[in-house]
Amino acid sequence: MLKTLKTTYTDTCAADLAWALGREPLPALAVLDLELTGAKLQLRLLGASHQVLLEDEQGNCSETVACMPGSSTPLPLGVSKRVGEWEYEFAARVENLSQGSFAGRAQELLALVADHPNGLAGMFPGSPYAFTAMLAQKHDGQVRWRTWHAYPEEGQLVVTRTRIGARTPAAL
């Protein structure tokens, strides 16, 4: 699903993004509710990036990647931790692209997400390639999502990948 977001365009940069677990739902500009084999997932596009809310029989989890004033947790390259009964893994990277490469990559990603039943992309006003896109799936009992945050003024694309699933017992 592709949405044009109604908000004031303010370009930020990848360095402004912060990461947080467990935040309450923030005001969203667009929402996609999904049911993935017993897991309720809500993909939320914020004025400042994204939030994912997950709920299933194991509990609840909230991931926020956004420009959050006053946040002291910058965007990490990777996180692996226990969240209730789940194992949570998060990874992020920043792609620095030339103007031509950026436009091509943006078009490719928007085409991938726009018509996907588990995809949500929001276009910010002011630049044809300012967007946040999200794609989710459930595979082998794990819920996974990927996100892309485009910063055309900087030529940067922030790519995140999250996997969350039941804890696996330690091997003896």
Side-chain angles (χ1 to χ4, degrees):
M1 177 184 336
L2 184 60
K3 297 269 193 179
T4 299
L5 303 175
K6 293 180 170 81
T7 186
T8 303
Y9 176 70
T10 52
D11 191 41
T12 58
C13 64
D16 292 340
L17 287 176
W19 167 87
L21 276 178
R23 288 189 74 129
E24 292 297 317
L26 297 171
L29 299 173
V31 173
L32 179 62
D33 289 307
L34 300 171
E35 180 78 31
L36 301 175
T37 318
K40 292 181 182 178
L41 194 66
Q42 188 176 75
L43 305 179
R44 302 168 60 82
L45 295 176
L46 311 176
S49 279
H50 88 259
Q51 187 172 51
V52 177
L53 306 177
L54 171 64
E55 178 185 333
D56 79 0
E57 68 274 357
Q58 301 292 325
N60 301 316
C61 181
S62 162
E63 173 189 279
T64 306
V65 172
C67 301
M68 296 179 276
S71 176
S72 60
T73 306
L75 189 64
L77 294 177
V79 174
S80 182
K81 66 187 308 179
R82 289 183 177 172
V83 176
E85 295 298 314
W86 291 319
E87 291 288 345
Y88 170 90
E89 289 183 5
F90 172 86
R93 74 176 191 278
V94 177
E95 296 178 9
N96 292 296
L97 303 165
S98 69
Q99 195 170 30
S101 295
F102 190 93
R105 183 91 162 108
Q107 290 171 351
E108 173 186 284
L109 290 169
L110 289 170
L112 170 72
V113 175
D115 294 326
H116 196 287
N118 296 344
L120 177 62
M123 306 287 298
F124 291 93
S127 171
Y129 301 121
F131 68 90
T132 297
M134 309 170 74
L135 192 59
Q137 68 175 355
K138 187 167 184 181
H139 182 69
D140 289 338
Q142 298 178 336
V143 178
R144 302 168 188 225
W145 58 88
R146 296 180 63 191
T147 72
W148 298 270
H149 305 261
Y151 299 98
E153 298 295 321
E154 303 290 324
Q156 294 181 318
L157 184 68
V158 177
V159 180
T160 73
R161 174 182 50 80
T162 301
R163 180 189 63 80
I164 189 165
R167 273 193 235 167
T168 53
L172 298 176

